[in-house]
């Protein structure tokens, strides 16, 4: 399992709901956490490993030694979002070296299924809410650079152009 990099079209694809809560799903989740830790991330959405599924994982500490912080959300949806929003810096494993400010609600109430298919409600705040909302966007084919302010969009344009050139080169050689 490898990280899918911008501008791979798989990052823009529509995702399908998880229907089978089986060992295969558990194996996918484990592999996603391994890739996430290896690449020093705090969150990962299924499209980022080439799977068009409504599945995301995160660990706000990004530390495999703190596995009690691991969160697995299948078929997540937002029930409520706070009117209060805040800008914060974000990066994304599909955009190596690119960072920028994104405005997100400070609190969200979420419904999602766990690995057994059981539904849970979660109240997420601050950093947890930011990670979740970033990963949820991936399930809708929305990328964090889409939400950058005009100044950040201009600033990262050369880096995006580089990633686009690398993607075309990797396509041409495969
Ligand atoms: Co991302």
């Amino acid at each position: 399992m490898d990280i899918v990099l911008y501008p791979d079209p798989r990052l823009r694809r529509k995702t399908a709901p998880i229907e089978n809560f089986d060992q295969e799903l558990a194996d996918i989740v484990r592999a996603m956490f391994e890739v996430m830790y290896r690449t020093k991330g705090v969150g990962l959405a299924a499209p980022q490993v080439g799977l068009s599924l409504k599945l995301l994982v995160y660990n706000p500490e990004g530390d495999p030694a703190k596995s009690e912080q691991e969160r697995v959300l299948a078929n997540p949806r937002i029930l409520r979002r706070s009117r209060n929003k805040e800008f914060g810096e974000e990066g994304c494993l599909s955009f190596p070296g690119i960072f920028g400010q994104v405005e997100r609600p400070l609190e969200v109430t979420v419904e999602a299924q766990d690995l057994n298919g059981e539904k849970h409600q979660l109240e997420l705040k601050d950093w947890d809410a930011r990670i979740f909302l970033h990963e949820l966007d991936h399930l809708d084919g929305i990328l964090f650079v889409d939400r950058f302010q005009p100044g950040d969009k201009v600033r990262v344009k050369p880096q995006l152009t580089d990633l686009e050139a690398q993607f075309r080169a990797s396509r041409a050689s495969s």
Side-chain angles (χ1 to χ4, degrees):
M1 198 178 262
D2 288 305
I3 300 279
V4 167
L5 298 178
Y6 171 86
D8 193 306
R10 288 176 288 176
L11 294 172
R12 296 291 191 184
R13 232 178 247 167
K14 191 172 158 53
T15 54
I18 303 280
E19 283 169 359
N20 298 315
F21 294 86
D22 52 12
Q23 186 59 44
E24 189 190 349
L25 179 65
D27 292 344
I28 289 170
V29 163
R30 206 57 250 157
M32 284 174 68
F33 273 117
E34 277 163 29
V35 173
M36 187 190 88
Y37 292 132
R38 192 174 77 218
T39 51
K40 312 286 179 213
V42 292
L44 189 63
Q48 291 183 279
V49 291
L51 301 170
S52 294
L53 297 171
K54 295 200 184 297
L55 174 67
L56 64 89
V57 304
Y58 69 92
N59 178 335
E61 305 253 11
D63 182 352
K66 298 198 174 144
S67 59
E68 76 281 358
Q69 301 277 340
E70 290 179 353
R71 301 284 180 264
V72 178
L73 281 74
N75 303 327
R77 62 190 190 100
I78 294 179
L79 301 178
R80 195 191 70 84
R81 68 189 85 205
S82 66
R83 218 164 282 165
N84 282 354
K85 294 181 181 178
E86 196 169 77
F87 279 95
E89 188 174 78
E90 295 185 13
C92 179
L93 295 175
S94 297
F95 291 79
I98 295 181
F99 299 89
Q101 295 286 319
V102 179
E103 190 179 32
R104 305 276 189 193
L106 277 170
E107 293 172 37
V108 279
T109 306
V110 175
E111 185 183 79
Q113 284 167 279
D114 64 19
L115 274 177
N116 301 313
E118 279 173 42
K119 277 188 182 169
H120 298 272
Q121 268 193 32
L122 300 98
E123 306 282 340
L124 304 177
K125 286 182 185 173
D126 303 321
W127 183 227
D128 280 74
R130 178 170 297 280
I131 300 170
F132 166 77
L133 289 164
H134 175 115
E135 303 311 332
L136 184 71
D137 271 352
H138 277 295
L139 306 188
D140 294 324
I142 299 168
L143 302 171
F144 78 142
V145 292
D146 302 341
R147 298 193 184 276
F148 278 11
Q149 299 295 103
D152 272 355
K153 279 189 176 162
V154 170
R155 181 177 55 80
V156 303
K157 189 81 175 68
Q159 288 164 286
L160 292 179
T161 304
D162 278 353
L163 285 173
E164 287 158 14
Q166 284 169 33
F167 182 73
R168 280 195 303 272
S170 70
R171 282 258 158 133
S173 65
S174 62

